Amino acid sequence: MRQFGEIEGVYPGQIFANRAELAKSGIHPPNQAGISGSIIEGADSIVLSGGYEDDQDYGDRILYTGAGGRDEKTKQQIADQELTGKNLALAKSKLYQLPVRVTRSHKHKSEYSPDEGYCYAGLYIVEDYWCERGISGHYIWRYSLVSCELAGLDKQNDTKELDKPPGYKETERKVVLVKRIVRDTTKARRVKEWHGYKCQVCGMALETSAGLYAEAAHIQPLGMPHSGPDDESNILCLCPNHHVLFDNGGFTINEDMSLNGIDGHLITNRKHKIDIRFITYHQEHYQQLK
Amino acid sequence: MRQFGEIEGVYPGQIFANRAELAKSGIHPPNQAGISGSIIEGADSIVLSGGYEDDQDYGDRILYTGAGGRDEKTKQQIADQELTGKNLALAKSKLYQLPVRVTRSHKHKSEYSPDEGYCYAGLYIVEDYWCERGISGHYIWRYSLVSCELAGLDKQNDTKELDKPPGYKETERKVVLVKRIVRDTTKARRVKEWHGYKCQVCGMALETSAGLYAEAAHIQPLGMPHSGPDDESNILCLCPNHHVLFDNGGFTINEDMSLNGIDGHLITNRKHKIDIRFITYHQEHYQQLK
């Protein structure tokens, strides 16, 4: 299984002598490709290696160029790039907000590049992707990446860390947090796949350029004071509209799966067992009193 | 006009001798009510004064009880609370993610309360609201608030602050950032009001328990490298579903306001002048290449 997030034992700033060592560490498994990923799972890692004239590097923010369209010998951009293969994988990481590992090669021209070898820079989020004419005049796909630290994502689960042991180190904390984010994503994705990304209320799946989109809605909310579990039996697959309504008193679900507040029934699926206790908790707390 | 966010010249940790001085500072204008706000604009400020038995205070996180249902003499909870008036105003602050000023009275029982007077604690976001049976057995409305600092919201615009003057102070920065968030909110809200919170693509408005909900979508994205302006002429009023599609290559808009990628026309409004240059920029960057 593709590993997203931090790799145990590797810290941001660590240097690798060559691509083979970088691959062996688990940071960036492929030996040549700049993007590691698949169109189903998304991209887990990229390497900035100075190959693309349109790349721009501001440290915490990076404008990265997709793959393809170059002459193999001259490395010149000679054709348009397409949103397929590795480029689509990186777009999917935006759609699902997956953490992407970033590594800089000494060949990449920036003040953040190492003098020799490959320097692992840490986790980034793909904030946006789009296409535009590059310096060559050909269309390229561009990705803006922002460091998870800058985005405040390394703070997001701080409140769950209240009982951390004495002598707990900063780098360890980050690894723990990112693993948690990724584990959540796996369960959420499983529920979405069971439903084919179709909303369990309206049956619609949103078609974006990076594929189908749906959201995972926790029925009994996570975190204090509700303390719902992060488990498939406590997750619904909803479109963004029905997610907003579900979280803000727009509708609740009755025990027989009929809806309260809007018409219809929850669309269910044999693989996806919902725990009725979470449905009841949600109804007790979010249903409109008369 | 109701003032959201930080008040110039007041810093978190500042003490006020009484409610009259607190009101005069602009932090919490009403002289008695615990919640300052309106059901149209949302709530801008709350005071924790020890009046509600169900309040819980963990510093960066607060569980706050809505108003009403108490006996005026004994202060006992003798009836259910309703999601109306000030309670609805505070729910609206969740829906619109407005910053709420929090002040603790010496009468509020917590380790964060001042020994005397009223201590302004800073900005919080209403993360969630719901109703449940309180200690008295009557239904109460509860709000979970989280400090903007903990939520990472004070970091959000850091990259726009690159050219800060020498000797720039930390507290000043926060004031600047929060004003920016609030200014954005004002423009976004104006566009939504022009359209009655109906999506400019599907014509639907989402009905939540705190009122109608829509999202403001920037046509030419803000921030680098797109640098679109935060102006009404660059904002659309969309439902969350069409917002996701618009931001992820699901559709673009043609010059005649017909849609590309999905059927239909953009619903327009005389008051709301959209600049065609932003539409063109979006189409050039987010339209699917064949």
Side-chain angles (χ1 to χ4, degrees), chain B residues 105-137:
Chain B
S105 154
H106 64 281
K107 288 176 282 180
H108 168 63
K109 285 180 198 76
S110 87
E111 57 180 297
Y112 312 98
S113 306
D115 294 333
E116 291 189 338
Y118 293 80
C119 179
Y120 171 58
L123 296 178
Y124 284 64
I125 288 290
V126 184
E127 207 182 34
D128 196 10
Y129 65 90
W130 65 93
C131 79
E132 64 183 35
R133 280 189 201 277
I135 294 170
S136 68

Coordinates of all heavy atoms in Angstrom, one line a residue, chain B residues 105-137:
Chain B
S105 N -15.4 37.0 33.2 CA -15.7 37.8 34.4 C -15.0 37.1 35.6 O -14.8 35.9 35.5 CB -17.2 37.8 34.6 OG -17.5 38.0 36.0
H106 N -14.8 37.9 36.6 CA -14.2 37.3 37.9 C -15.3 36.3 38.5 O -14.9 35.4 39.3 CB -13.9 38.4 38.9 CG -15.0 39.2 39.3 ND1 -15.6 40.2 38.6 CD2 -15.8 39.1 40.5 CE1 -16.6 40.7 39.3 NE2 -16.7 40.1 40.4
K107 N -16.5 36.5 38.1 CA -17.6 35.6 38.6 C -17.6 34.2 37.9 O -18.2 33.3 38.4 CB -18.9 36.3 38.5 CG -19.1 37.4 39.5 CD -20.5 38.1 39.3 CE -20.4 39.0 38.1 NZ -21.7 39.8 37.8
H108 N -17.0 34.1 36.8 CA -16.9 32.9 36.0 C -15.9 31.9 36.7 O -14.8 32.3 36.9 CB -16.5 33.2 34.6 CG -16.2 32.0 33.8 ND1 -17.1 31.0 33.5 CD2 -15.0 31.7 33.1 CE1 -16.4 30.1 32.7 NE2 -15.2 30.5 32.5
K109 N -16.3 30.7 37.0 CA -15.5 29.8 37.8 C -14.5 29.1 36.8 O -15.0 28.1 36.2 CB -16.3 28.8 38.6 CG -16.9 29.5 39.8 CD -17.7 28.5 40.6 CE -18.7 29.2 41.5 NZ -19.9 29.7 40.8
S110 N -13.3 29.5 36.7 CA -12.3 28.8 35.9 C -10.9 29.3 36.3 O -10.8 30.4 36.9 CB -12.5 29.0 34.5 OG -11.8 30.2 34.0
E111 N -9.9 28.5 36.0 CA -8.5 29.0 36.4 C -8.1 30.1 35.4 O -7.0 30.7 35.7 CB -7.6 27.8 36.3 CG -7.5 27.1 34.9 CD -6.6 26.0 34.8 OE1 -5.4 26.2 35.0 OE2 -7.0 24.8 34.6
Y112 N -8.9 30.4 34.4 CA -8.5 31.5 33.5 C -9.2 32.8 33.8 O -9.0 33.8 33.1 CB -8.9 31.1 32.0 CG -8.4 29.7 31.7 CD1 -9.2 28.6 31.8 CD2 -7.0 29.4 31.4 CE1 -8.8 27.3 31.6 CE2 -6.6 28.2 31.2 CZ -7.4 27.1 31.3 OH -7.0 25.8 31.0
S113 N -10.1 32.8 34.8 CA -10.8 34.0 35.2 C -9.9 35.0 36.0 O -9.0 34.5 36.7 CB -12.0 33.7 36.0 OG -12.8 32.7 35.3
P114 N -10.1 36.3 35.8 CA -9.4 37.3 36.6 C -9.9 37.3 38.1 O -11.0 36.9 38.3 CB -9.7 38.6 35.9 CG -11.1 38.4 35.3 CD -11.2 36.9 35.0
D115 N -9.0 37.8 39.0 CA -9.5 37.9 40.4 C -10.5 39.0 40.5 O -11.4 38.9 41.4 CB -8.2 38.3 41.2 CG -7.2 37.2 41.2 OD1 -7.7 36.0 41.1 OD2 -6.0 37.4 41.4
E116 N -10.4 40.0 39.7 CA -11.4 41.1 39.7 C -11.7 41.6 38.3 O -10.8 41.5 37.5 CB -10.8 42.3 40.5 CG -10.6 42.1 42.0 CD -10.2 43.3 42.7 OE1 -9.7 44.3 42.1 OE2 -10.5 43.4 44.0
G117 N -12.9 42.1 38.1 CA -13.3 42.7 36.8 C -13.4 41.7 35.7 O -13.8 40.6 35.9
Y118 N -13.1 42.2 34.5 CA -13.4 41.4 33.3 C -12.1 41.3 32.5 O -11.5 42.4 32.2 CB -14.5 42.1 32.4 CG -15.8 42.0 33.2 CD1 -16.1 42.9 34.2 CD2 -16.7 41.0 32.9 CE1 -17.3 42.9 34.9 CE2 -17.9 40.9 33.6 CZ -18.2 41.8 34.6 OH -19.4 41.7 35.2
C119 N -11.7 40.1 32.1 CA -10.5 40.0 31.3 C -10.8 39.6 29.9 O -11.4 38.5 29.6 CB -9.6 38.9 32.0 SG -8.1 38.6 31.1
Y120 N -10.4 40.4 28.9 CA -10.6 40.1 27.5 C -9.6 39.0 27.1 O -8.4 39.1 27.3 CB -10.4 41.3 26.6 CG -10.3 41.0 25.1 CD1 -11.4 40.4 24.5 CD2 -9.2 41.3 24.4 CE1 -11.4 40.1 23.2 CE2 -9.2 41.0 23.0 CZ -10.3 40.4 22.4 OH -10.3 40.1 21.1
A121 N -10.1 37.9 26.5 CA -9.2 36.7 26.3 C -8.8 36.6 24.8 O -7.9 35.8 24.5 CB -10.0 35.4 26.6
G122 N -9.4 37.3 23.9 CA -9.0 37.2 22.5 C -10.1 36.6 21.6 O -11.3 36.5 22.0
L123 N -9.8 36.2 20.4 CA -10.8 35.8 19.4 C -10.9 34.3 19.4 O -9.9 33.6 19.5 CB -10.4 36.3 18.0 CG -10.3 37.8 17.8 CD1 -9.8 38.1 16.4 CD2 -11.7 38.4 18.1
Y124 N -12.1 33.9 19.2 CA -12.5 32.4 19.1 C -13.4 32.2 17.9 O -14.0 33.1 17.4 CB -13.2 32.0 20.4 CG -12.4 31.8 21.6 CD1 -11.7 32.9 22.2 CD2 -12.2 30.5 22.2 CE1 -10.9 32.7 23.3 CE2 -11.4 30.4 23.3 CZ -10.7 31.4 23.9 OH -9.9 31.3 25.0
I125 N -13.4 31.0 17.4 CA -14.3 30.6 16.4 C -15.3 29.6 16.9 O -14.9 28.8 17.8 CB -13.5 29.9 15.2 CG1 -12.6 30.9 14.4 CG2 -14.4 29.1 14.3 CD1 -13.4 31.9 13.6
V126 N -16.6 29.8 16.6 CA -17.6 28.8 17.0 C -17.5 27.6 16.1 O -17.7 27.6 14.9 CB -19.0 29.4 16.9 CG1 -20.0 28.4 17.5 CG2 -19.1 30.7 17.6
E127 N -17.0 26.5 16.7 CA -16.7 25.3 15.9 C -17.9 24.5 15.7 O -18.1 23.8 14.6 CB -15.7 24.4 16.7 CG -14.8 23.5 15.9 CD -13.9 22.7 16.8 OE1 -14.4 22.3 17.9 OE2 -12.8 22.4 16.4
D128 N -18.9 24.5 16.6 CA -20.1 23.7 16.5 C -21.1 24.2 17.5 O -20.8 24.9 18.4 CB -19.7 22.3 16.9 CG -20.8 21.2 16.4 OD1 -21.7 21.6 15.7 OD2 -20.7 20.1 16.9
Y129 N -22.4 23.9 17.2 CA -23.4 24.2 18.2 C -24.4 23.1 18.1 O -24.6 22.5 17.0 CB -24.1 25.6 17.9 CG -24.8 25.7 16.6 CD1 -26.2 25.3 16.6 CD2 -24.2 26.1 15.5 CE1 -26.9 25.3 15.4 CE2 -24.9 26.1 14.3 CZ -26.2 25.8 14.2 OH -26.9 25.8 13.0
W130 N -25.1 22.8 19.2 CA -26.1 21.7 19.2 C -26.9 21.9 20.5 O -26.6 22.7 21.3 CB -25.4 20.3 19.2 CG -24.6 20.1 20.5 CD1 -25.0 19.5 21.6 CD2 -23.2 20.5 20.7 NE1 -24.0 19.5 22.6 CE2 -22.9 20.1 22.0 CE3 -22.3 21.2 20.0 CZ2 -21.6 20.3 22.6 CZ3 -21.0 21.4 20.5 CH2 -20.7 21.0 21.8
C131 N -28.0 21.1 20.6 CA -28.8 21.1 21.8 C -28.8 19.8 22.6 O -28.6 18.8 21.9 CB -30.2 21.6 21.6 SG -31.3 20.4 20.9
E132 N -28.9 19.9 23.9 CA -28.9 18.7 24.7 C -29.5 19.0 26.0 O -29.7 20.2 26.4 CB -27.4 18.1 24.9 CG -26.5 19.0 25.6 CD -25.1 18.5 25.7 OE1 -24.7 17.8 24.8 OE2 -24.5 18.7 26.8
R133 N -29.8 18.0 26.8 CA -30.4 18.2 28.1 C -29.2 18.6 29.0 O -28.2 18.0 29.1 CB -31.0 16.9 28.7 CG -32.3 16.6 28.1 CD -33.0 15.4 28.9 NE -34.0 14.8 28.1 CZ -35.3 15.3 28.1 NH1 -35.6 16.3 28.8 NH2 -36.2 14.7 27.3
G134 N -29.4 19.8 29.7 CA -28.4 20.2 30.6 C -28.5 19.6 32.0 O -29.4 18.7 32.2
I135 N -27.8 20.0 32.9 CA -27.8 19.5 34.3 C -29.2 19.5 34.9 O -29.6 18.6 35.6 CB -26.8 20.3 35.2 CG1 -25.3 20.0 34.7 CG2 -26.9 19.9 36.7 CD1 -24.3 20.9 35.3
S136 N -29.9 20.6 34.5 CA -31.3 20.8 35.1 C -32.3 19.8 34.5 O -33.4 19.7 35.0 CB -31.8 22.2 34.8 OG -31.9 22.3 33.4
G137 N -32.0 19.1 33.4 CA -32.9 18.3 32.7 C -33.6 19.0 31.5 O -34.3 18.4 30.7

